[in-house]
Amino acid sequence: MARSQAARRRRVIDATLELAAGGGFDAVQMRDVATEAGVALGTVYRYFESKERLLLEANLEQVEALRVRLSERPPSGASAADRVVDVLRRATRTQTRRPEATAAMVRALGSARREESDAVARVSEAMTGIITGAMHAGEPSERDRAVARVLSQVWLSSLIGWVGGVDGPDVVGNDLERAARMLIS
Amino acid sequence: MARSQAARRRRVIDATLELAAGGGFDAVQMRDVATEAGVALGTVYRYFESKERLLLEANLEQVEALRVRLSERPPSGASAADRVVDVLRRATRTQTRRPEATAAMVRALGSARREESDAVARVSEAMTGIITGAMHAGEPSERDRAVARVLSQVWLSSLIGWVGGVDGPDVVGNDLERAARMLIS
DNA sequence: GTGGGAATGAGAACGTGTTCTCATTGCCGG
DNA sequence: CCGGCAATGAGAACACGTTCTCATTCCCAC
């Protein structure tokens, strides 16, 4: 049964991503997710306690996928700053390429309640891990971690500004690059 | 009539802040806002096109009030970094003192749609203006503005982490202080 | 196989943000 | 004072996230 449950979960997340890619947060309607995934509405809620959590878990998958891609094809660049900038620009490009899906997931990140704090924490930790990993091999120093934390915070705020229509997509990459170069010397 | 309209608007925002202080975002129910403000539900929507905008306008007032307090009592500190840290800590203290109200407004910031982009932009600009003002008198340089922008982004992300239950209230202040000291030498 | 308990499907029901309708009120130029 | 028009009040109506109910299905121990 574990197999069919994993398949169900997968279908639900896939349906979520597809609907999100079509029209963002508002297009991810739980009834539609259920229908498209071929499960009952109650089943969606058995697997994901809320719409936000559903989108957060989907987002976590994306971030983990990014981490895998980066381990397969490590960032290029001579200095730590260059490598971090490369990683951040790659991540930004991936996300601006699917604006609506990103908008949906970022909105879930920005409006998370306490019930979803663990999911938000996992996304944020994954992102800081990706950034420290780009700096250099081996264990990151305390300062490395602090820098990565700041960068992941800038990353989130920039994305919020972008999906909220405050900034254009290029602003995200530029803000991140400038922040990275100011913080990593 | 403009006078009574301004009074109505004031009552609506006051009711919003009161409800928000009581139980955060979810406690701000538009019907309750209307009742408490002594207006009809439709009138609330005539003044504020959505719940998010209502909370964003309330937040903008708070940030503007902070700016006024700072101009009356300028930040202490010998260096630019010290003054910025002082400002950020004061702001953080003000907000953590009314956790639920802050949570409501931060959640509105984090989940804003494109329709509210102007309100989000105003809040963000007010915050960067406060930070550049703390650095030194006179016109800020391009780099000053970039630093302030990063700090206001860290500020937003930290608050989101705090209201989302990911971090404790002290983390917000510490993250901001560390970021400020790393960025302002 | 069979019984029992958990998972699922199907769909009703509820709460709250948002919109809509329509009657009433308040103001302003004539 | 009056007619008209925008603003407001009162509340119904609608949409979607969430919860609940109950019948059905699936799996595992025996």
Side-chain angles (χ1 to χ4, degrees):
Chain A
M1 178 195 259
R3 197 188 316 257
S4 78
Q5 284 180 327
R8 241 181 275 262
R9 191 192 138 94
R10 178 101 304 273
R11 289 206 309 278
V12 171
I13 289 200
D14 288 345
T16 300
L17 287 172
E18 189 162 337
L19 288 169
F25 189 87
D26 293 334
V28 180
Q29 303 199 355
M30 300 302 270
R31 288 170 180 83
D32 295 347
V33 170
T35 303
E36 185 133 343
V39 302
L41 181 57
T43 303
V44 176
Y45 276 95
R46 178 187 315 280
Y47 283 75
F48 305 94
E49 73 182 5
S50 68
K51 174 173 172 174
E52 269 85 20
R53 179 167 290 271
L54 175 53
L55 284 163
L56 286 171
E57 304 264 0
N59 193 25
L60 185 61
E61 280 195 2
Q62 311 277 96
V63 178
E64 293 296 356
L66 171 63
R67 174 181 266 171
V68 169
R69 283 204 305 281
L70 287 171
S71 72
E72 288 169 352
R73 194 181 305 188
S76 59
S79 70
D82 287 344
R83 286 190 295 277
V84 169
V85 168
D86 184 50
V87 163
L88 293 174
R89 283 215 178 267
R90 256 201 263 177
T92 304
R93 200 168 339 117
T94 304
Q95 287 175 313
T96 50
R97 205 170 291 172
R98 296 165 61 212
E100 297 298 325
T102 303
M105 293 183 289
V106 168
R107 193 159 148 205
L109 269 174
S111 65
R113 318 156 206 254
R114 290 195 180 74
E115 300 92 273
E116 288 104 28
S117 62
D118 60 319
V120 176
R122 283 208 303 282
V123 171
S124 145
E125 281 158 18
M127 199 64 201
T128 61
I130 285 173
I131 295 172
T132 56
M135 290 177 177
H136 50 67
E139 196 64 15
S141 70
E142 194 50 47
R143 185 193 158 95
D144 290 343
R145 265 195 271 268
V147 167
R149 192 173 160 83
V150 170
L151 288 177
S152 78
Q153 286 169 328
V154 172
W155 177 70
L156 175 59
S157 289
S158 296
L159 285 178
I160 288 176
W162 170 56
V163 309
V166 177
D167 302 315
D170 50 320
V171 175
V172 180
N174 292 340
D175 275 6
L176 282 166
E177 168 150 13
R178 210 162 26 178
R181 298 214 181 277
M182 286 194 291
L183 287 165
I184 311 174
S185 44
Chain B
M1 178 195 259
R3 195 187 318 257
S4 77
Q5 283 179 327
R8 240 182 275 262
R9 191 192 138 94
R10 179 100 303 276
R11 289 206 310 276
V12 171
I13 289 200
D14 288 344
T16 300
L17 287 171
E18 189 162 338
L19 288 168
F25 189 87
D26 293 335
V28 180
Q29 304 198 355
M30 299 303 270
R31 288 170 180 81
D32 295 347
V33 170
T35 303
E36 185 132 344
V39 302
L41 182 56
T43 303
V44 176
Y45 277 94
R46 178 188 314 281
Y47 282 76
F48 305 94
E49 73 182 6
S50 69
K51 175 173 172 175
E52 270 84 20
R53 179 168 291 271
L54 174 52
L55 284 163
L56 286 171
E57 303 264 1
N59 193 25
L60 185 60
E61 280 194 1
Q62 311 277 97
V63 178
E64 293 295 356
L66 171 64
R67 173 181 267 170
V68 169
R69 283 203 305 280
L70 287 172
S71 73
E72 286 169 354
R73 194 180 307 186
S76 60
S79 70
D82 288 344
R83 285 189 295 276
V84 169
V85 168
D86 183 51
V87 164
L88 292 174
R89 284 213 178 269
R90 255 201 262 177
T92 303
R93 199 168 340 115
T94 303
Q95 287 176 314
T96 51
R97 205 170 290 172
R98 296 166 59 214
E100 298 297 326
T102 303
M105 293 183 289
V106 168
R107 195 160 149 206
L109 268 175
S111 65
R113 317 158 206 254
R114 291 198 178 72
E115 300 93 273
E116 288 103 29
S117 61
D118 59 319
V120 176
R122 283 208 302 280
V123 171
S124 146
E125 281 158 17
M127 197 64 201
T128 61
I130 284 174
I131 296 172
T132 56
M135 290 178 178
H136 49 67
E139 196 65 15
S141 70
E142 194 51 45
R143 186 193 157 93
D144 290 342
R145 264 194 272 268
V147 167
R149 191 172 161 83
V150 170
L151 288 176
S152 78
Q153 286 168 329
V154 172
W155 176 70
L156 175 58
S157 289
S158 295
L159 285 178
I160 288 176
W162 169 56
V163 310
V166 177
D167 302 316
D170 50 320
V171 174
V172 180
N174 292 341
D175 275 7
L176 282 167
E177 167 149 16
R178 209 161 29 176
R181 298 214 181 276
M182 286 194 290
L183 286 165
I184 311 172
S185 44

